[in-house]
Amino acid sequence: MRRQNILRTFLFIIFFGIGATALSGSILCDDLVRYYHNRHLLKAKPEGTNRLESLIADYDSLLQNLEKDPNLFERIAPLVLGMERNDANTVYPKATEELLEAVKKALEEDSSQQSAEPVMPDWLVRCSEPARRVILFLAGAFLVLISFIWLGSTKSARADQGEP
């Protein structure tokens, strides 16, 4: 009899644990999605901050160069505004199609490397679908009910303890 009670207790713990985990997972699914999304944003923040700091440093150095050399403005203005340069003594290189394609490819590779890490685990993506979430909730509730109904204490165990 004692061996049977140990087995029932063990099965109760297993069924109840799995059912409670499924219930809490289906209920807290939105919070888990928000957690992983916020965690991904926190990882992306330093990269954006570093990029902004490098841009600020570039602009600061450009402003310092403009203060030191007033002719620099005349040299970069056509480039920035997209105007044709008309200095007769200078040859300006033109960007070729191959060069533009190579730069575009390098930028695309850089952006694809940053987004290679998934935001959420695959199991959470599957569990966050509404139909699967309902099924997960019902399965968890069913396992908890099974554990209490069929694996709970029996009448003979209650009678041995003196309960009515």
Side-chain angles (χ1 to χ4, degrees), residues 149-164:
I149 292 172
W150 282 299
L151 300 172
S153 62
T154 61
K155 289 182 182 179
S156 62
R158 286 188 295 227
D160 291 342
Q161 293 174 358
E163 295 179 14

Side-chain angles (χ1 to χ4, degrees), residues 124-143:
L124 186 58
V125 172
R126 288 189 304 269
C127 290
S128 63
E129 296 173 7
R132 289 186 180 183
R133 196 168 166 189
V134 169
I135 290 171
L136 187 63
F137 180 84
L138 293 175
F142 185 67
L143 283 172

Side-chain angles (χ1 to χ4, degrees), residues 99-113:
L99 180 63
L100 291 175
E101 287 297 321
V103 169
K104 186 176 180 181
K105 190 175 185 180
L107 289 174
E108 287 174 355
E109 287 176 2
D110 186 42
S111 65
S112 67
Q113 288 175 356

